[in-house]
Amino acid sequence: MMERTTLHLPRSQPEAQGIPSAAVIAFLNTVEEKKLELHSLMLLRHGQVVVEGWWKPYASDIPHMLFSLSKSFTSTAMGLAAAEGKLSLNDAVVSFFSEDVPAEINSNLAAMEIRHLLMMGTGHDQDTTSKLQQCEDGNWVKAFLDAPVEHAPGTHFVYNSGATYMLAAILQKVTGQTLLAYLQPRLFEPLGIEGATWESCPRGINVGGWGLNVTTEDIAKFGQLYLQKGVWNEQRLLQEDWVDEATSAQISNGDGGVSDWAQGYGYQFWRCRHGVYRGDGAFGQFCIVMPEQNAVLAMTSGTNDLQGVLDAVWYHLLPAMESSSLPANQDAHSKLSDELQQLALPLPQLPPDSPLEAIIDGIEYTLEQNEPLWKSISISFEANTAVVLLSKEDIEYKIKLGRGAWVEGTTPLFQGEYQRFVGSFAWEQENTLQLTLRLIETPFSIHVHILFDGDNVVLSQNSNVLAEKSEIRGRKTEVK
């Protein structure tokens, strides 16, 4: 296996590493045909990057929200801490939090160990995450320990992001460092992962089960480290027996079959069909490790069809990997290179302008009472941009969008913190304006349709992956 000495992984061509370019083209075609919204992919074979691509406006240097793929990094921190003797997987969870345990500790809670947190076998009947997030004092540890534990730990699988949070809390308790700070010299620096960020709970503990943001190549490096059994650049970062244990089935999570969510669960890693394992996160964030093929596939996405993405990998990519290199095929490789260069998420094929622009330009509309608490909206049009002004209490938010093209900016509009976005606008009809915003460090895109009807407006909003839809009505603001 190839080892690394630089921040970036080495590059090669698919055929040189035993993969026909035609198989990758077929995979990309399936992604397009099935409308699987991938944002990026990077395929490694024998330690070499053989395929990499980003669907514009996503790009190689933009970090992406990992959601539950974060869990596999949290698990890795526990393996490192165990190797350093800071904790044991057999340690009781309650032993770390004497100040937060309930007055009466039932037998199931008392029996819960770190390994049960890792394998999602805590004994809970349901995910504890909402209980943690809703607790009024911000003490997520206490909220977790107060939750009923209905089953003996190790006997019942429930996917439980609260359990992963507790791993982060235990790590911070025994090391005095956040999960992110602890991993920095032990994992991120050796792998050349720079600029990682991790969301924290109200008490400053990294949430563990989600919230990590890194680039696609960072995900690929992480998978390659596991493929190499914990060795990186001739240096052992993880114990080999940890890698084997963490990626083996530790608890049953279903009856197998064709679902890649029912093949067994390790320590924050999912077992897959075909002898494969993976870390994954909501809306299609993947780190797929294929030991038999000596390959790693990293992907970020904005899709709800995660099984569809995996099925395309198993059908097109996995069986195409040959044991030895293939003859060079310049035509196929050139075609693949062209397709990868042209990857882009489609902009709406709609008229870029409307005669209505001259009438509504700069007009303010007062909005009826609504849950986001927006008070007014106005839109001003320039040659190639539209500027949307949204007011909320005493705050005015300005968003600039391109006319049938992306314009990049930042806004605190959605999370309260500034996020990078690209925005575009077009006209569905002469009286219906469509705004598209992609939060390019996340899986999310937001589509707003504004119907102008005389002095009235109707704003309808939906997302690429979230089911919630909203409608807000308004009327031209009266001049006093």
Side-chain angles (χ1 to χ4, degrees):
M1 291 180 189
M2 183 71 63
E3 300 291 349
R4 257 141 307 287
T5 58
T6 65
L7 293 179
H8 292 286
L9 296 160
R11 265 59 177 175
S12 182
Q13 293 191 0
E15 280 78 11
Q17 305 304 326
I19 303 174
S21 293
V24 183
I25 293 171
F27 172 78
L28 295 174
N29 289 342
T30 295
V31 166
E32 184 174 4
E33 290 163 6
K34 295 194 172 182
K35 294 181 168 54
L36 302 170
E37 188 186 301
L38 294 193
H39 296 165
S40 71
L41 86 163
M42 183 174 283
L43 176 62
L44 280 63
R45 187 91 197 278
H46 308 312
Q48 308 260 347
V49 177
V50 295
V51 180
E52 57 187 313
W54 286 262
W55 279 256
K56 297 179 183 67
Y58 299 87
S60 61
D61 61 340
I62 300 176
H64 203 279
M65 187 182 290
L66 300 192
F67 284 88
S68 286
L69 177 49
S70 308
K71 291 178 168 67
S72 302
F73 288 81
T74 303
S75 168
T76 301
M78 302 308 284
L80 290 165
E84 293 175 0
K86 297 184 185 299
L87 52 82
S88 163
L89 302 196
N90 299 322
D91 289 339
V93 173
V94 294
S95 69
F96 297 96
F97 305 106
S98 57
E99 68 279 14
D100 291 318
V101 295
E104 293 185 17
I105 302 173
N106 71 25
S107 58
N108 286 340
L109 178 59
M112 191 191 301
E113 300 173 353
I114 289 177
R115 72 174 62 254
H116 299 132
L117 300 174
L118 284 163
M119 70 170 69
M120 299 296 188
T122 57
H124 292 100
D125 243 353
Q126 54 188 291
D127 187 354
T128 59
T129 305
S130 60
K131 183 175 176 63
L132 272 55
Q133 294 175 322
Q134 292 166 12
C135 69
E136 293 183 359
D137 63 357
N139 188 341
W140 289 15
V141 167
K142 188 175 188 302
F144 179 91
L145 296 173
D146 282 341
V149 184
E150 294 88 349
H151 307 273
T155 65
H156 183 72
F157 174 86
V158 164
Y159 194 70
N160 186 351
S161 293
T164 318
Y165 169 77
M166 292 299 289
L167 295 172
I170 289 170
L171 184 84
Q172 188 158 327
K173 192 83 168 180
V174 300
T175 67
Q177 294 180 290
T178 64
L179 183 55
L180 183 61
Y182 179 78
L183 285 175
Q184 195 65 39
R186 295 167 175 83
L187 182 71
F188 294 150
E189 288 178 10
L191 267 56
I193 295 176
E194 299 177 339
T197 59
W198 212 316
E199 185 182 334
S200 297
C201 78
R203 298 201 169 191
I205 299 169
N206 292 150
V207 294
W210 67 95
L212 178 61
N213 295 264
V214 296
T215 67
T216 308
E217 187 160 354
D218 296 335
I219 298 169
K221 292 173 182 177
F222 179 71
Q224 187 66 27
L225 172 67
Y226 268 81
L227 181 64
Q228 294 174 178
K229 300 284 190 178
V231 174
W232 189 264
N233 193 23
E234 300 181 356
Q235 176 188 1
R236 177 159 293 284
L237 303 184
L238 293 171
Q239 297 299 313
E240 184 171 350
D241 57 357
W242 165 263
V243 173
D244 290 339
E245 191 173 340
T247 60
S248 299
Q250 297 295 330
I251 191 169
S252 173
N253 62 351
D255 57 0
V258 297
S259 170
D260 286 296
W261 279 260
Q263 308 297 320
Y265 194 78
Y267 293 158
Q268 313 282 294
F269 286 91
W270 297 88
R271 292 298 307 179
C272 309
R273 293 170 289 166
H274 313 295
V276 174
Y277 63 88
R278 74 185 190 281
D280 80 21
F283 315 120
Q285 323 317 314
F286 287 109
C287 180
I288 301 169
V289 181
M290 299 170 260
E292 294 175 18
Q293 291 75 23
N294 195 20
V296 171
L297 178 59
M299 292 181 285
T300 62
S301 315
T303 180
N304 287 318
D305 188 4
L306 277 66
Q307 186 65 67
V309 176
L310 292 177
D311 287 345
V313 174
W314 308 151
Y315 187 80
H316 293 292
L317 299 180
L318 195 76
M321 298 184 192
E322 301 289 348
S323 57
S324 57
S325 61
L326 300 172
N329 186 335
Q330 195 56 46
D331 287 346
H333 184 255
S334 295
K335 183 180 178 184
L336 173 59
S337 296
D338 288 345
E339 289 210 15
L340 291 169
Q341 287 295 320
Q342 294 169 17
L343 292 175
L345 297 177
L347 283 162
Q349 299 301 303
L350 298 169
D353 53 25
S354 163
L356 191 61
E357 287 184 18
I359 300 171
I360 64 172
D361 184 61
I363 299 295
E364 181 184 276
Y365 295 86
T366 301
L367 302 176
E368 295 178 358
Q369 186 172 357
N370 57 80
E371 190 173 329
L373 303 179
W374 300 120
K375 293 202 170 179
S376 69
I377 185 172
S378 69
I379 305 172
S380 300
F381 298 93
E382 300 173 6
N384 295 312
T385 59
V387 177
V388 178
L389 294 180
L390 268 169
S391 71
K392 187 176 190 176
E393 297 175 340
D394 296 327
I395 304 172
E396 190 172 67
Y397 298 88
K398 179 187 291 188
I399 299 175
K400 185 176 286 190
L401 305 99
R403 188 184 295 276
W406 298 118
V407 169
E408 183 168 347
T410 61
T411 181
L413 183 62
F414 301 102
Q415 296 278 338
E417 298 179 359
Y418 278 89
Q419 292 179 289
R420 290 174 69 181
F421 75 92
V422 294
S424 176
F425 76 95
W427 289 88
E428 291 182 23
Q429 301 173 37
E430 280 194 1
N431 66 345
T432 306
L433 181 64
Q434 178 174 307
L435 313 179
T436 302
L437 288 90
R438 287 195 170 275
L439 305 176
I440 54 174
E441 294 187 0
T442 83
F444 304 120
S445 66
I446 296 156
H447 309 279
V448 181
H449 309 264
I450 308 178
L451 170 64
F452 296 90
D453 181 14
D455 289 343
N456 301 312
V457 291
V458 180
L459 284 71
S460 304
Q461 178 178 306
N462 64 291
S463 164
N464 60 334
V465 290
L466 300 177
E468 297 96 347
K469 296 182 179 181
S470 64
E471 183 175 283
I472 302 173
R473 295 179 177 271
R475 185 171 177 79
K476 185 178 176 180
T477 302
E478 294 183 11
V479 179
K480 296 182 180 179

